[in-house]
Amino acid sequence: QVQLQESGPGLVKTSETLSLTCTVSGGSISSYYWNWIRQTPGKGLEWIGYIYYTGSTYYNPPLESRVTISLDTSKNQFSLKLSSVTAADTAVYYCAANGGYDAFDIWGKGTMVTVSS
Amino acid sequence: EIVMTQSPATLSVSPGERATLSCRASQTVTSNLAWYQHKPGQAPRLLIYGASTRATGIPARFSGSGSGTDFTLTISSLQSEDFAVYFCLQYTKWWTFGQGTKVEIK
């Protein structure tokens, strides 16, 4: 059974780049679409973007200019980078998997990231 | 963007009672609607997809209905482990979420 675990710094400074990694266990990263989702107090749950095992990506348009999602198949991991962060990016960040244009079957437990100067 | 609105924000229910949660879409999502259960510190758990299909291992007391813009999640007889936050997700046009309904013990 596939499981996901987020990791990364819990505190990021304003204007810097947030970097998180999701480790996939119990299955191969060469399947599924791999997503990042966040939950903020103000906007609730927000889909950030996905990467497919082929490397193709798609990002939520409001975040597109600041987001990069990448894949490391050798480590069974995928990563999120969000640049030029502000306090509005303070959130719990989740990684999740689905089979394409479908519901998210599998989620990680989430990791809290606070943006502060 | 398709906006998903859930009601009520909080639902107080006694164990053994029925809980009915609503989710409304700002435009049709056909049957591309999922429901999740989320407890603090845990990963969200997929309950229902395709508006009415239970995910693997989900008890029969959970049922989903609706299509188009109006959807309902019913928990027929609440168990102690069912007290949690429930949120809906549409996946017709990308992915957007409802703000959640907290089901608490009355």
Side-chain angles (χ1 to χ4, degrees):
Chain A
Q1 181 176 343
V2 174
Q3 293 186 314
L4 305 178
Q5 177 67 59
E6 305 87 351
S7 59
L11 182 63
V12 181
K13 291 188 176 180
T14 304
S15 79
E16 295 190 346
T17 296
L18 178 159
S19 297
L20 296 174
T21 296
C22 183
T23 300
V24 180
S25 59
S28 172
I29 205 164
S30 298
S31 60
Y32 284 108
Y33 287 70
W34 305 102
N35 297 261
W36 286 98
I37 294 161
R38 69 182 183 179
Q39 185 168 30
T40 62
K43 293 186 69 175
L45 285 158
E46 179 179 33
W47 171 73
I48 297 171
Y50 72 67
I51 187 165
Y52 190 41
Y53 78 95
T54 58
S56 65
T57 56
Y58 195 86
Y59 305 135
N60 196 345
L63 298 169
E64 185 174 12
S65 63
R66 300 193 291 131
V67 172
T68 303
I69 298 177
S70 59
L71 202 60
D72 187 336
T73 55
S74 67
K75 294 182 179 178
N76 246 30
Q77 294 177 334
F78 63 105
S79 298
L80 168 70
K81 291 189 185 300
L82 181 66
S83 64
S84 304
V85 296
T86 70
D89 296 310
T90 293
V92 177
Y93 286 78
Y94 297 92
C95 53
N98 61 350
Y101 295 105
D102 205 347
F104 304 110
D105 308 83
I106 307 160
W107 295 62
K109 292 182 180 180
T111 187
M112 179 70 201
V113 179
T114 301
V115 177
S116 175
S117 56
Chain B
E1 174 182 312
I2 299 177
V3 176
M4 307 301 292
T5 303
Q6 288 187 243
S7 62
T10 304
L11 187 61
S12 298
V13 186
S14 299
E17 289 188 339
R18 173 187 296 256
T20 303
L21 289 67
S22 295
C23 178
R24 174 167 289 179
S26 61
Q27 59 186 269
T28 183
V29 298
T30 61
S31 294
N32 294 325
L33 191 286
W35 289 96
Y36 293 84
Q37 177 190 70
H38 193 196
K39 297 179 180 178
Q42 296 187 17
R45 178 191 184 196
L46 176 64
L47 301 174
I48 302 285
Y49 62 93
S52 61
T53 302
R54 276 190 300 276
T56 303
I58 301 303
R61 65 180 181 273
F62 291 93
S63 63
S65 63
S67 66
T69 61
D70 291 296
F71 301 88
T72 300
L73 174 70
T74 302
I75 311 171
S76 60
S77 176
L78 271 158
Q79 306 299 300
S80 57
E81 63 267 29
D82 299 336
F83 292 97
V85 172
Y86 293 82
F87 62 86
C88 59
L89 163 73
Q90 72 77 22
Y91 48 96
T92 277
K93 186 175 181 181
W94 305 116
W95 296 270
T96 53
F97 299 85
Q99 77 277 25
T101 291
K102 181 180 181 180
V103 177
E104 64 177 23
I105 300 175
K106 187 175 183 179

